[in-house]
Amino acid sequence: MNAPENRPEKPVQPPRWARWLLTRLHPAETLEEVEGDLDELYTYWYRRAGKTQATLRYLLNVVSVLPPFVRKRHTQKDHSPLSNRHPDMLRNYFKVAWRNIIRQKTYSILNIAGLSIAMASSILILLWVQNELSYDRFHRNSEQLYRLICSAGDFRAAVSPAGMGSGLQAEMPEIEASLRLSKSSTHLFEAGGNKFEEKRVFFADSNFLQFFSFDLLQGNAKTAMRDPGGILLTEEMAEKYYGTEPALGKIIRINNKENFIVAGILATSPSNSHLQFDFIIPMAALAKSNYDLRNNVWDRFNFYTYLQFNKNSSSVDIQNHIPRIQQIYKRHNSDGKIDFQLQPLTSIHLHSDLQIDVPGHGNIQYVNIFFIVALFIIAVGCINFMNLSTAHSARRTKEVGMRKVVGATRFQLVGQFLSEALIVSFISLLIAVGVVYLFMPVFNTLTEKKLAVHLQDGDLLIKLVGIAFITGIISGSYPALFLSGFRPVSVLKGKFTFAGGSLLFRNGLVIAQFVVAIVLLIGTAVVYNQMNFIKNKNLGFEKSNLLYTPMTGDLWSKLAVYKDALRQNPLTSNFSVISELPAALISGTIDVEWEGRDPNSQVVIPSIDVDENFIDVFKMKILTGRSFSAAFKGDSSNYMINEKAMQVMGMNAGNAVGKRISFGGTKGTIIGVVKDFNFKSLQYVIEPLVLRLNKWGGLVMVRTQPDNTEATIKVLEGINQELNPAYPFTYHFFDKNLDDLYRSEQQMGRIFNLFAALAIFISCLGLYGLSAFMAEQRTKEIGVRKVLGASVTGVVALLSKDFLRLVLIAIVIASPIAWYTMNRWLQSFAYKIDIQWWLFVLASLLTISIAMLTVSYQSIKAALMNPVKSLRSE
């Protein structure tokens, strides 16, 4: 039986209307080719899935090959050069760039290391700057919130009277809300078997949660502050006192006296808030015992007042309300000679050079300085890249010549070299981000911040990519223009030489690098010397071996017994009871009268309450008269003053004792004048001061015997446990409090040290690369010189002198810049060093030494090379 014959199947044709559509709409040049392809596809799908499916797919294919989905095919091939934006050209750029990076490993490592360190340094600084500028901007109405501050002459303070906030709101419809906040205070808290003294405690009006935008995690925001017996605490404090148990509704005891109910749990106060708190207590609780609050006074300045203006008010409009505020104050206190200002909430952290303020403020001057430092460091990294790129350009002259011969335009060559710079820049960015992650804990310790890099943050990612892109463009721009400008005829004939202009520009870049490094180095030295000056300055008293403990609980009512117990032990017998530390006095008044006072004068005079031992314990000196003494019963209404007060009052050492003055409405007689001593930060000049006899208590300051500090602390602890067992014993060292006054300056010094060292290191990386290249370029010259008898020392000197000249020029330029900059910084201190000439000499010698050490390695290596090897080709 014969097998059936395999005959070819008859092709199936698509519908005529579909083919008509194709012929009408598709370009004629390619119609025949496309039509055949679609017919084959139609036949295939017809046999596999049926007519309906084949027709549907045919229509989709017809649409896909219609304009604008397909471009017309040109009848002639276009042989014009590819555009810089063509994918093939871009791919070629990056392929060649990557090959060059791999081929020149040492040069690439130096470039990437310099840019990575510069980027990492700049990212860290910019994160710090961004954090400083973000303070208090998280509040919903931050642009409408202002703080009422005051001034009397040169004395500027952040406080205002208790009655002003509500009084201004009642008379000024532009003010939507007002809020009073007490100064922070220390209280003993007890709950859940835990008892601690807490310092970050504030009393606030009942609208605290509506006025500010602090997150309330638990509780009712509308009612939490209405009950005087309620209290808000942060989640950190809730965990501290109650552990894992729910804290809301629990009782917490304050000062062993009053019980409060936890009415709300707040999120820990944001690190970028000028208010750092652990507990917020309703102001109504303080009003029970506070005279200012009960009477809404307008003449005593003890509270922070915040005002919220309506959203229709611009910042200019708001500042224009100050004269009206002044008029309202005058109506309530006609005798007051105080000027008021409105401070934007977002300006408090960086623009508060005020007294009697919440602690922890920054300084806009430091923000500006470090922002400039960040730009300088990234500039140093870019200069490195430019220098090394132009120095190594001789190796690529023939490549550029060949590219130009085969038709490459200068614009295309610029694109090629910029792509190399961008690749290096983005590789550096990746390494820099890793370095930032690695050193962020160290930087946070240094700055006392809680900074972090969140790459999932789109804004941050855009900024980082922007930094890398701008860095790549800037650092690659000059090398790209320089390399693309080579003349192919000269290059390919081997007659190419570097123009003097390019060498001059490269030397200028080296000088710029070292100018930045030297300015930072001198700045570091000045900051260190100023801090050392502050540490060692004679403040008018002996600050060492002083420790103090606050009087708490029952000690106030047992003051006489407490003093007797201290006197009986030789380790604690040298003590004084004072109202507050003579390191940062915050009290002051203009209510001071003396004979011959100008009624128009605006003098704020601080005061401190001291006992009979104060002068001896602090080892101060009496200029004239005597100190307080238990032998004189009338001293309770007498005063001591300092030299400055004596001068302000128009007195002298011969007539001051016995003069009558009135302080705060209490009249008395001056019994002594104490020599001036610094009772505030050295950023302030010594002000007039009145000393009164302490009748109540406050702090017990003990001068310890050398090497007996620990024993003294144990004695004080024993006395405290015996007389005041309900309160934990705490103590502090006075010199530590003095150091804390300059914490921000110390931070600035540490940051300056770090980034000055990094700037010098980056500069030396570039110098190392340049010296290696110059030694390589002069290999034959060195060989000839050695054959003719040149010594190693002579060759090293020959190779080093050009770099030494550049560093010396940088020193000449950097010195006046550093002097001007640091002199401006020192103006913020009333007591400061003079910038000595030897600081500049020391910084210069250090820079020269580091630069010469960097250059000398390559110089010595070249000088020791066998001249036979270098001259073999000759």
Side-chain angles (χ1 to χ4, degrees):
M1 186 174 179
N2 294 332
E5 185 179 351
N6 291 325
R7 298 177 180 174
E9 296 184 18
K10 186 179 180 181
V12 181
Q13 297 296 324
R16 291 181 180 180
W17 61 269
R19 178 171 286 184
W20 178 85
L21 184 66
L22 176 65
T23 57
R24 292 298 179 188
L25 298 179
H26 190 80
E29 296 90 342
T30 57
L31 176 61
E32 183 178 353
E33 181 182 344
V34 170
E35 192 174 31
D37 291 340
L38 294 189
D39 285 351
E40 289 179 8
L41 287 172
Y42 181 83
T43 302
Y44 171 79
W45 283 108
Y46 183 90
R47 290 172 179 161
R48 181 168 181 173
K51 184 176 180 180
T52 304
Q53 185 70 244
T55 303
L56 179 61
R57 287 181 177 274
Y58 185 87
L59 286 174
L60 290 175
N61 287 331
V62 168
V63 173
S64 69
V65 296
L66 295 179
F69 302 106
V70 66
R71 291 180 294 178
K72 285 189 176 182
R73 185 176 299 173
H74 295 287
T75 56
Q76 296 181 353
K77 292 185 178 179
D78 188 358
H79 295 284
S80 62
L82 292 176
S83 166
N84 264 20
R85 295 185 294 273
H86 194 281
D88 291 337
M89 187 60 92
L90 292 175
R91 190 160 44 248
N92 176 261
Y93 284 165
F94 286 103
K95 185 187 297 183
V96 173
W98 181 252
R99 286 173 180 170
N100 280 317
I101 291 170
I102 297 299
R103 186 167 60 247
Q104 302 178 35
K105 291 183 177 63
T106 303
Y107 159 69
S108 300
I109 288 171
L110 288 174
N111 267 335
I112 291 171
L115 280 178
S116 298
I117 296 171
M119 282 187 184
S121 303
S122 298
I123 289 169
L124 287 171
I125 294 176
L126 293 175
L127 285 173
W128 179 82
V129 169
Q130 179 179 284
N131 178 265
E132 289 289 291
L133 294 174
S134 70
Y135 267 70
D136 295 308
R137 297 186 185 278
F138 60 89
H139 294 291
R140 286 185 301 273
N141 302 307
S142 59
E143 298 301 321
Q144 275 68 50
L145 300 181
Y146 285 73
R147 185 172 67 171
L148 187 65
I149 61 176
C150 67
S151 61
D154 294 332
F155 187 92
R156 301 176 69 242
V159 288
S160 52
M164 277 200 75
S166 56
L168 293 175
Q169 183 181 354
E171 298 193 42
M172 297 177 64
E174 300 87 354
I175 299 176
E176 290 186 355
S178 63
L179 173 81
R180 294 171 302 184
L181 201 69
S182 71
K183 290 174 276 188
S184 63
S185 51
T186 302
H187 299 271
L188 179 69
F189 287 82
E190 181 181 5
N194 299 302
K195 182 183 286 190
F196 301 99
E197 270 193 346
E198 305 291 353
K199 296 181 178 180
R200 304 199 309 178
V201 183
F202 291 88
F203 290 87
D205 281 329
S206 59
N207 61 336
F208 176 81
L209 294 174
Q210 288 75 40
F211 195 91
F212 293 122
S213 301
F214 297 112
D215 292 334
L216 184 69
L217 304 179
Q218 299 178 41
N220 188 321
K222 295 181 179 179
T223 61
M225 292 286 288
R226 290 181 184 173
D227 183 4
I231 188 172
L232 302 179
L233 60 155
T234 63
E235 57 181 336
E236 183 180 350
M237 291 298 106
E239 184 177 350
K240 180 178 180 179
Y241 285 91
Y242 299 100
T244 58
E245 297 180 7
L248 194 66
K250 296 287 182 64
I251 292 176
I252 189 167
R253 190 168 179 80
I254 302 181
N255 296 329
N256 291 324
K257 295 178 180 178
E258 295 182 90
N259 291 334
F260 284 78
I261 297 175
V262 178
I265 308 296
L266 290 161
T268 301
S269 55
S271 59
N272 59 343
S273 169
H274 81 282
L275 290 176
Q276 294 296 314
F277 53 81
D278 291 319
F279 297 87
I280 301 293
I281 305 175
M283 192 70 77
L286 181 63
K288 298 175 184 177
S289 58
N290 186 279
Y291 173 85
D292 292 13
L293 294 172
R294 289 201 310 269
N295 296 279
N296 274 331
V297 300
W298 284 67
D299 59 349
R300 294 157 61 97
F301 293 70
N302 290 312
F303 293 88
Y304 304 116
T305 302
Y306 298 85
L307 303 173
Q308 179 181 340
F309 289 84
N310 59 46
K311 293 188 177 181
N312 296 326
S313 302
S314 66
S315 58
V316 176
D317 294 335
I318 291 171
Q319 294 299 336
N320 289 336
H321 293 319
I322 293 176
R324 191 173 174 192
I325 291 174
Q326 210 70 49
Q327 294 172 1
I328 296 172
Y329 173 75
K330 285 289 186 183
R331 289 206 305 269
H332 288 82
N333 185 15
S334 57
D335 296 332
K337 299 175 182 178
I338 304 296
D339 296 319
F340 291 93
Q341 296 86 38
L342 291 170
Q343 183 182 33
L345 183 73
T346 52
S347 298
I348 291 177
H349 177 67
L350 292 176
H351 300 271
S352 281
D353 185 21
L354 303 172
Q355 302 192 52
I356 321 178
D357 202 352
V358 292
H361 289 323
N363 190 321
I364 188 62
Q365 184 182 21
Y366 297 162
V367 172
N368 293 333
I369 288 173
F370 284 116
F371 180 73
I372 294 172
V373 167
L375 296 181
F376 278 172
I377 289 178
I378 203 73
V380 168
C382 291
I383 289 170
N384 252 8
F385 187 95
M386 291 182 185
N387 268 334
L388 292 175
S389 297
T390 51
H392 284 72
S393 58
R395 295 181 177 181
R396 304 188 65 179
T397 54
K398 290 184 179 177
E399 175 195 342
V400 174
M402 288 299 297
R403 286 178 178 274
K404 284 196 170 185
V405 166
V406 298
T409 65
R410 186 172 187 181
F411 185 66
Q412 288 174 320
L413 290 171
V414 168
Q416 167 68 51
F417 295 122
L418 280 180
S419 67
E420 292 183 20
L422 287 170
I423 288 177
V424 170
S425 183
F426 276 95
I427 292 173
S428 301
L429 176 64
L430 293 176
I431 297 173
V433 170
V435 171
V436 168
Y437 269 109
L438 185 63
F439 287 95
M440 185 63 80
V442 177
F443 189 70
N444 280 337
T445 302
L446 195 67
T447 58
E448 298 181 6
K449 295 280 187 182
K450 295 179 180 178
L451 305 177
V453 176
H454 301 290
L455 291 181
Q456 63 270 28
D457 181 355
D459 289 341
L460 178 61
L461 203 58
I462 291 171
K463 290 175 184 176
L464 292 178
V465 171
I467 289 174
F469 183 79
I470 293 171
T471 301
I473 294 296
I474 292 174
S475 60
S477 57
Y478 177 71
L481 294 171
F482 177 72
L483 288 167
S484 64
F486 292 166
R487 296 179 61 188
V489 175
S490 301
V491 167
L492 296 177
K493 285 183 177 181
K495 296 180 179 180
F496 174 79
T497 56
F498 284 101
S502 66
L503 185 62
L504 182 65
F505 183 77
R506 195 162 70 237
N507 289 342
L509 293 178
V510 173
I511 291 170
Q513 273 186 313
F514 277 94
V515 165
V516 173
I518 293 166
V519 168
L520 291 176
L521 197 60
I522 293 173
T524 298
V526 172
V527 172
Y528 173 81
N529 278 275
Q530 176 65 13
M531 291 299 100
N532 200 47
F533 167 77
I534 288 172
K535 185 176 181 180
N536 298 315
K537 184 184 183 302
N538 181 7
L539 301 177
F541 55 83
E542 180 56 57
K543 63 183 179 182
S544 60
N545 298 319
L546 287 174
L547 66 84
Y548 66 94
T549 178
M551 289 181 59
T552 55
D554 295 337
L555 292 179
W556 292 91
S557 59
K558 299 177 180 178
L559 182 57
V561 178
Y562 190 24
K563 286 183 175 181
D564 288 340
L566 293 171
R567 291 191 194 100
Q568 290 170 10
N569 194 304
L571 292 175
T572 59
S573 58
N574 194 10
F575 73 91
S576 176
V577 181
I578 56 180
S579 59
E580 53 189 313
L581 294 175
L585 295 183
I586 61 172
S587 60
T589 181
I590 59 173
D591 187 12
V592 185
E593 300 292 338
W594 63 86
E595 182 182 339
R597 178 185 175 178
D598 181 358
N600 296 318
S601 66
Q602 295 276 356
V603 182
V604 176
I605 300 183
S607 66
I608 182 173
D609 294 348
V610 302
D611 66 1
E612 299 87 347
N613 305 324
F614 175 74
I615 300 297
D616 293 333
V617 169
F618 281 85
K619 297 186 178 181
M620 294 179 178
K621 295 181 179 179
I622 298 291
L623 182 67
T624 183
R626 63 176 178 85
S627 178
F628 294 115
S629 171
F632 295 88
K633 301 299 181 184
D635 275 358
S636 59
S637 59
N638 291 333
Y639 299 103
M640 294 178 66
I641 60 174
N642 67 350
E643 285 181 272
K644 183 66 176 178
M646 178 183 71
Q647 296 165 6
V648 168
M649 295 178 182
M651 306 173 189
N652 56 56
N655 64 13
V657 175
K659 291 281 188 178
R660 300 280 292 175
I661 64 171
S662 172
F663 188 88
T666 302
K667 296 181 180 179
T669 303
I670 298 174
I671 60 170
V673 179
V674 63
K675 285 188 70 66
D676 279 341
F677 63 93
N678 292 95
F679 52 87
K680 291 184 179 180
S681 161
L682 292 181
Q683 292 169 327
Y684 301 101
V685 297
I686 294 177
E687 300 170 354
L689 178 69
V690 170
L691 294 82
R692 303 179 297 186
L693 185 63
N694 192 349
K695 304 172 186 176
W696 308 105
L699 304 169
V700 175
M701 185 72 69
V702 178
R703 179 167 291 282
T704 63
Q705 301 170 8
D707 303 323
N708 279 326
T709 301
E710 292 297 327
T712 305
I713 292 171
K714 289 181 179 179
V715 171
L716 286 170
E717 186 176 11
I719 295 173
N720 187 87
Q721 289 297 321
E722 180 182 347
L723 299 178
N724 192 31
Y727 275 75
F729 170 71
T730 58
Y731 68 92
H732 310 275
F733 292 98
F734 183 53
D735 54 0
K736 176 65 167 56
N737 283 81
L738 292 173
D739 291 340
D740 288 345
L741 295 176
Y742 312 101
R743 180 176 294 177
S744 61
E745 286 76 19
Q746 291 166 353
Q747 284 180 2
M748 178 185 174
R750 291 194 295 268
I751 297 173
F752 247 112
N753 289 343
L754 173 63
F755 292 112
L758 288 175
I760 291 175
F761 179 73
I762 297 169
S763 300
C764 288
L765 280 179
L767 203 59
Y768 176 85
L770 279 177
S771 62
F773 173 74
M774 296 304 292
E776 180 185 337
Q777 291 292 99
R778 301 177 71 174
T779 300
K780 288 184 173 60
E781 177 192 345
I782 294 168
V784 172
R785 287 180 180 274
K786 290 194 71 177
V787 168
L788 295 175
S791 65
V792 173
T793 305
V795 172
V796 171
L798 174 70
L799 295 175
S800 301
K801 67 178 183 180
D802 291 337
F803 293 108
L804 178 60
R805 187 184 300 116
L806 297 180
V807 174
L808 290 175
I809 294 172
I811 290 170
V812 172
I813 296 173
S815 295
I817 296 173
W819 179 87
Y820 175 79
T821 304
M822 298 316 297
N823 193 57
R824 285 284 303 272
W825 175 71
L826 287 171
Q827 297 308 312
S828 61
F829 293 88
Y831 303 92
K832 54 186 179 292
I833 62 169
D834 293 323
I835 302 178
Q836 301 293 330
W837 61 269
W838 60 265
L839 286 176
F840 297 91
V841 174
L842 183 64
S844 301
L845 290 175
L846 183 60
T847 306
I848 291 171
S849 300
I850 295 172
M852 289 303 99
L853 281 173
T854 304
V855 173
S856 62
Y857 173 77
Q858 290 294 340
S859 301
I860 294 171
K861 182 180 175 182
L864 292 175
M865 182 181 293
N866 189 342
V868 174
K869 292 182 179 180
S870 58
L871 298 175
R872 183 179 297 162
S873 62
E874 302 295 322

